[in-house]
């Protein structure tokens, strides 16, 4: 990623042992990707706390499983407790409205598979849909989405069903019909994980 972006050419990589004594140099962004599920509870806390102490923004990504989601929520709560505001995916920084044990928040991204990857996984397709859970939080001023599409939209005849996490801390299903005109066309193009309603195009 760094090699492809000139602004990241001066990135400096750090190595550190995860544990209670972990400290990180001050920075703009810390990413914690597919790490927390491999750690003890104490070490998970140490990583998130060190990231929060060092960075203006923190992004945590885990596998889109119930356990991965639980680790993301745990990290989200710790970040909020230290003064961070959630930028995505949630449209608010209040408690997640999902009742623990009933569901989990996750999204999907299509990623390419190499021939070796296909052999290892015994697959034939050149891609797979990777499920993931994440939170992006920041100490900077943030304008979160008015709502987020949290399930794959269901397209029916003349209508689209959208499952949304909304800014008033509720999960709701919204039905968008042809009567909604442009909004209906936008709903037909909406994807899992999108902001809703879509931002107005720049003039």
């Amino acid at each position: 990623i760094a090699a492809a972006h000139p602004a990241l050419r001066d990135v400096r990589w750090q190595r550190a042992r995860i544990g209670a004594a972990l400290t990180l140099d001050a920075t703009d962004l810390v990413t914690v990707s597919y790490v927390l599920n491999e750690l003890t509870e104490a070490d998970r806390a140490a990583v998130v706390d060190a990231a929060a102490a060092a960075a203006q923004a923190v992004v945590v990504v885990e596998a889109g499983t119930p356990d991965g989601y639980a680790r993301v929520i745990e990290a989200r709560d710790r970040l909020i407790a230290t003064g961070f505001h959630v930028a995505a995916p949630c449209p608010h920084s209040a408690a997640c409205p999902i009742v623990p044990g009933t569901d989990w928040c996750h999204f999907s991204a299509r990623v390419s598979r190499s021939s070796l990857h296909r052999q290892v996984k015994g697959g034939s397709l050149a891609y797979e849909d990777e499920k993931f859970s994440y939170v992006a939080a920041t100490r900077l001023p943030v304008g979160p989405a008015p709502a987020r599409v949290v399930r794959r939209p269901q397209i029916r005849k003349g209508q689209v069903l959208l499952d949304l996490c909304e800014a008033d801390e509720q999960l709701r299903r919204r039905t968008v019909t042809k009567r909604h005109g442009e909004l209906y066309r936008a709903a037909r193009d909406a994807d899992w994980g999108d902001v809703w309603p879509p931002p107005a195009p720049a003039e």
Side-chain angles (χ1 to χ4, degrees):
I1 293 173
H5 295 275
L8 299 178
R9 283 179 183 156
D10 295 329
V11 164
R12 182 168 56 87
W13 302 100
Q14 300 180 54
R15 296 183 65 136
R17 183 176 296 278
I18 292 172
L22 175 65
T23 58
L24 302 172
D25 292 344
T27 186
D28 295 325
L29 171 68
V30 170
T31 61
V32 184
S33 180
Y34 286 74
V35 171
L36 299 183
N37 260 5
E38 311 302 321
L39 304 177
T40 65
E41 182 177 356
D43 284 349
R44 290 196 300 270
V47 168
V48 175
D49 290 348
Q56 291 295 303
V58 177
V59 177
V60 177
V61 186
E62 286 293 328
T65 63
D67 282 348
Y69 162 71
R71 301 295 168 252
V72 168
I73 287 297
E74 186 181 83
R76 179 185 186 275
D77 290 345
R78 293 191 77 87
L79 291 168
I80 292 170
T82 60
F84 278 72
H85 306 285
V86 176
C90 322
H92 56 79
S93 295
C96 177
I98 296 174
V99 177
T102 65
D103 202 354
W104 69 98
C105 183
H106 63 291
F107 303 92
S108 178
R110 182 155 289 184
V111 294
S112 298
R113 281 175 165 174
S114 66
S115 59
L116 176 60
H117 193 178
R118 291 197 298 274
Q119 290 173 18
V120 169
K121 289 207 166 183
S124 58
L125 297 176
Y127 64 86
E128 68 176 301
D129 292 323
E130 173 74 10
K131 305 293 194 303
F132 65 95
S133 294
Y134 80 101
V135 65
T138 179
R139 293 189 184 278
L140 304 172
V142 63
R148 180 82 56 182
V149 180
V150 292
R151 288 289 178 271
R152 200 176 303 281
Q154 299 180 43
I155 300 177
R156 307 278 175 80
K157 186 175 181 180
Q159 63 181 16
V160 181
L161 307 181
L162 298 176
D163 290 308
L164 303 173
C165 183
E166 300 190 328
D168 63 354
E169 306 159 32
Q170 298 294 318
L171 294 170
R172 290 191 179 90
R173 173 165 286 183
R174 301 287 188 183
T175 301
V176 185
T177 68
K178 285 185 175 180
R179 290 181 305 161
H180 292 97
E182 288 294 331
L183 204 59
Y184 171 70
R185 284 184 280 278
R188 288 184 59 85
D189 291 335
D191 200 0
W192 187 5
D194 284 353
V195 171
W196 185 261
E203 296 183 0

